Amino acid sequence: MATRARVRAPELIGRGGWLNTGDTQYTLADLRGRIVILDFWTFCCINCLHVLDELRELEEKHRDTVVIIGVHSPKFVHEAEHQAVVDAVERYQVHHPVLDDPELATWKQYAVRAWPTLVVIDPEGYVVAQHAGEGHAHAIEKLVEELEAEHAAKGTLRRGDGPYVAPEPVATHLRFPGKALVLPDGGFLVSDTTRHQLVRLAADAETVVQRYGDGERGLVDGGPERARFSEPQGLALLPGGRVVVADTVNHALRVLDLENAETTTVAGTGRQWWQGSPTNGPARDVDLSSPWDVAWWQGEVWIAMAGVHQLWAYDPELGTVRVAAGTTNEGLVDGPVAEAWFAQPSGLAATEERLWVADSETSALRYVDREGAVHTAVGTGLFDFGHRDGAAGQALLQHPLGVTALPDGSVAVSDTYNHALRRYTPPVQEGHSGEVTTLATDLREPSDAVLVGEDIVVVESARHRLTRLRLPEEAVRVDAVAHRTQRAATEVAAGKLRLDVVFQAPAGQKLDTRYGPSTRLLVSSTPPELLISGEGAGTDLARDLEIDPAVAEGVLHVSAMAASCDDDPSNEYPACHVHQQDWGVPVQVSADGVTRLPLVLAGMDQE
């Protein structure tokens, strides 16, 4: 094993304190003798949720030597609220200690630049590895096994129970429900996300009629007491009365037949889609990535594929899936469906003319028209959000997860992180942007809403219930609030800027070049004028950019991918792994700014 550079890990600090520890406050000294993995995450981020799932097996397998610490580092203002973090830890079943760091103190100490980032600390308290993005669980497990052997031999490894203390369970009919559907009989079907079930409610939206799924995480077809889901979300009624379900963490579509209460899998393999995997073909043979919502539109089931920032479509007659819109690049770019960019689309609603999309990470309301073009009704990009009514061109939302088409042509938006129900009214004249108003406030993380007569029934996810509201004739007035993401900007010099994405194949692996280049780098900027040159796609992980001195500030959007395979010539079928990450780096142009911008995709500090 190579000798690693000795870099002492900074202390863990966070004004929000610790969760999942029984109120015990920890320092790194308290964890000495254990292998510590810091997971810098924020609960809005789909990539962070993927990493939570990736780490579950490692966490269980090495429970007596490894302590995973989630360092919650918020992007949105709502995510800095302590109760919101408490809710998220339960919602996503985080079974390790979490440090709530609302002011990004530990994030800054570790010089983290992206969500998610994983940092490995050895039993003597030294940083030995850092990885940004997804796909690193295999490499980290190899490193953990090496560290276990090394420190067991040195006598510096301490085995035993970790600091995790499970919170007391709370009895409610629903637990962090995600989406709802009005059934033909006037009742409701609700995705009871944290309990891995679907729940059928009576017309009063409270009385439980039936549960589908045994409540354990899994991918199992069958009747209501046998079927298993994993954090299901979106629901849509198919012609004929069956219900299609976005089974999010299973990366699958399921269909529930309400007559016989049977659940079957119709799309997805249970594996997460990675760059280079097929994007169309027989639905059961194609990997999906965190489908978050579904809607029936133009003879197909459209899918909000949050995990890859795209819209896909499933044809139940042909049994096929295809990419319908988006490029996998994260951002807000309108235009033809094949060129548009989305950012974690999480809510869908169909009308005859439009498919409305709640594009959560850009805090935007968008739509696809029948001619195959994507448009933005409300929202400006990844880093601007807030609660502001008025002309749609300057209105602000905050991470909306749901969208509902209203009979008059307007749209209700479940404005999740603003705890509000908003309304977008399209313009009546060309050249106008439409109007945004607030229908209701004091909701708790609304994630969806459905129409019932003159009422709208809202899924109040963090209050674990459905809430019935009468659609008001006049909107509630709310003081305008605007925010930008609070990460400090990197000062860069005008002119030449060297971008280096640092990637070192994990121990025992090498770059996979059997089918061509194994790396990909895509660069763009907001505003586009920030970059004089250097934007676009390429296969080299280093690139020379040129910054325009006339642009004072902006955001560099960097997307990197690298594929590595086990380096064993005797193995005819080596295991391969994809490492990928998207960065949005706020920059300010300064005379004293840096001329090199390093971003760590994966690497170990070694001598």
Side-chain angles (χ1 to χ4, degrees), residues 80-98:
E81 298 175 13
H82 182 69
Q83 185 57 48
V85 181
V86 173
D87 289 345
V89 167
E90 181 187 352
R91 181 195 302 269
Y92 298 115
Q93 298 186 321
V94 180
H95 292 163
H96 51 250
V98 172

Side-chain angles (χ1 to χ4, degrees), residues 266-413:
V266 296
T269 63
R271 298 183 301 269
Q272 182 184 340
W273 185 92
W274 290 101
Q275 289 286 352
S277 300
T279 55
N280 62 77
R284 288 301 309 275
D285 297 338
V286 177
D287 300 337
L288 310 182
S289 183
S290 297
W292 206 276
D293 203 6
V294 282
W296 180 257
W297 192 53
Q298 294 187 314
E300 294 179 293
V301 175
W302 284 62
I303 309 163
M305 202 71 77
V308 286
H309 317 299
Q310 290 180 311
L311 305 181
W312 288 34
Y314 162 65
D315 186 325
E317 287 194 14
L318 298 177
T320 57
V321 292
R322 65 181 178 89
V323 172
T327 65
T328 77
N329 298 317
E330 183 179 16
L332 194 153
V333 176
D334 290 339
V337 289
E339 301 172 12
W341 293 20
F342 295 91
Q344 217 169 295
S346 302
L348 299 175
T351 67
E352 185 174 341
E353 296 299 322
R354 294 177 177 180
L355 180 72
W356 292 97
V357 183
D359 202 30
S360 63
E361 278 293 287
T362 54
S363 297
L365 172 66
R366 307 176 72 186
Y367 65 91
V368 183
D369 65 27
R370 293 177 65 90
E371 287 70 46
V374 177
H375 309 263
T376 297
V378 183
T380 58
L382 286 164
F383 301 98
D384 293 297
F385 54 91
H387 193 147
R388 181 195 287 155
D389 286 336
Q394 56 85 51
L396 294 173
L397 309 170
Q398 187 179 178
H399 198 81
L401 292 178
V403 61
T404 309
L406 301 179
D408 66 351
S410 65
V411 180
V413 180

Side-chain angles (χ1 to χ4, degrees), residues 169-514:
V170 182
T172 53
H173 289 317
L174 302 172
R175 204 68 190 163
F176 297 103
K179 305 288 184 180
L181 177 69
V182 180
L183 297 175
D185 66 0
F188 300 87
L189 188 68
V190 182
S191 53
D192 198 19
T193 304
T194 296
R195 290 190 177 140
H196 314 299
Q197 292 180 321
L198 308 179
V199 179
R200 189 168 185 168
L201 301 177
D204 63 5
E206 294 181 4
T207 304
V208 176
V209 176
Q210 187 167 13
R211 295 181 181 273
Y212 306 91
D214 69 359
E216 295 294 323
R217 186 190 297 272
L219 179 54
V220 180
D221 290 343
E225 296 175 359
R226 169 178 165 76
R228 287 188 171 179
F229 302 89
S230 188
E231 299 182 29
Q233 288 281 351
L235 307 166
L237 203 61
L238 294 173
R242 297 187 303 160
V243 176
V244 63
V245 182
D247 196 6
T248 304
V249 178
N250 274 328
H251 310 295
L253 294 190
R254 319 288 293 281
V255 164
L256 170 64
D257 189 321
L258 292 169
E259 287 191 11
N260 61 25
E262 288 282 321
T263 297
T264 55
T265 302
V266 296
T269 63
R271 298 183 301 269
Q272 182 184 340
W273 185 92
W274 290 101
Q275 289 286 352
S277 300
T279 55
N280 62 77
R284 288 301 309 275
D285 297 338
V286 177
D287 300 337
L288 310 182
S289 183
S290 297
W292 206 276
D293 203 6
V294 282
W296 180 257
W297 192 53
Q298 294 187 314
E300 294 179 293
V301 175
W302 284 62
I303 309 163
M305 202 71 77
V308 286
H309 317 299
Q310 290 180 311
L311 305 181
W312 288 34
Y314 162 65
D315 186 325
E317 287 194 14
L318 298 177
T320 57
V321 292
R322 65 181 178 89
V323 172
T327 65
T328 77
N329 298 317
E330 183 179 16
L332 194 153
V333 176
D334 290 339
V337 289
E339 301 172 12
W341 293 20
F342 295 91
Q344 217 169 295
S346 302
L348 299 175
T351 67
E352 185 174 341
E353 296 299 322
R354 294 177 177 180
L355 180 72
W356 292 97
V357 183
D359 202 30
S360 63
E361 278 293 287
T362 54
S363 297
L365 172 66
R366 307 176 72 186
Y367 65 91
V368 183
D369 65 27
R370 293 177 65 90
E371 287 70 46
V374 177
H375 309 263
T376 297
V378 183
T380 58
L382 286 164
F383 301 98
D384 293 297
F385 54 91
H387 193 147
R388 181 195 287 155
D389 286 336
Q394 56 85 51
L396 294 173
L397 309 170
Q398 187 179 178
H399 198 81
L401 292 178
V403 61
T404 309
L406 301 179
D408 66 351
S410 65
V411 180
V413 180
S414 296
D415 194 7
T416 310
Y417 287 4
N418 278 327
H419 308 301
L421 189 67
R422 312 286 293 284
R423 182 187 190 188
Y424 167 72
T425 303
V428 294
Q429 296 179 339
E430 282 292 327
H432 292 259
S433 65
E435 189 82 8
V436 174
T437 54
T438 298
L439 293 174
T441 58
D442 195 32
L443 301 168
R444 187 69 189 173
E445 292 193 20
S447 54
D448 195 20
V450 292
L451 279 175
V452 181
E454 296 181 355
D455 294 340
I456 191 164
V457 176
V458 180
V459 179
E460 273 199 277
S461 187
R463 283 199 177 113
H464 320 293
R465 69 187 189 191
L466 302 190
T467 299
R468 188 183 297 264
L469 303 172
R470 177 57 55 95
L471 283 171
E473 294 182 4
E474 295 183 2
V476 178
R477 291 191 179 277
V478 176
D479 292 335
V481 180
H483 301 290
R484 283 192 68 95
T485 300
Q486 62 173 310
R487 284 181 295 166
T490 299
E491 292 192 0
V492 299
K496 298 296 184 182
L497 176 66
R498 177 70 170 180
L499 172 66
D500 285 314
V501 174
V502 180
F503 178 79
Q504 178 179 330
Q509 295 180 35
K510 64 178 181 179
L511 287 174
D512 178 18
T513 57
R514 292 171 299 166

Side-chain angles (χ1 to χ4, degrees), residues 97-148:
V98 172
L99 175 65
D100 182 10
D101 184 19
E103 295 167 347
L104 303 182
T106 296
W107 166 287
K108 294 170 185 173
Q109 289 273 47
Y110 281 82
V112 175
R113 288 184 178 274
W115 297 278
T117 291
L118 297 169
V119 176
V120 182
I121 301 170
D122 73 11
E124 294 180 286
Y126 292 93
V127 174
V128 292
Q130 180 170 325
H131 302 266
E134 305 175 48
H136 304 297
H138 176 79
I140 289 176
E141 180 163 15
K142 289 272 194 182
L143 176 58
V144 164
E145 291 170 352
E146 293 178 0
L147 290 171
E148 285 175 340

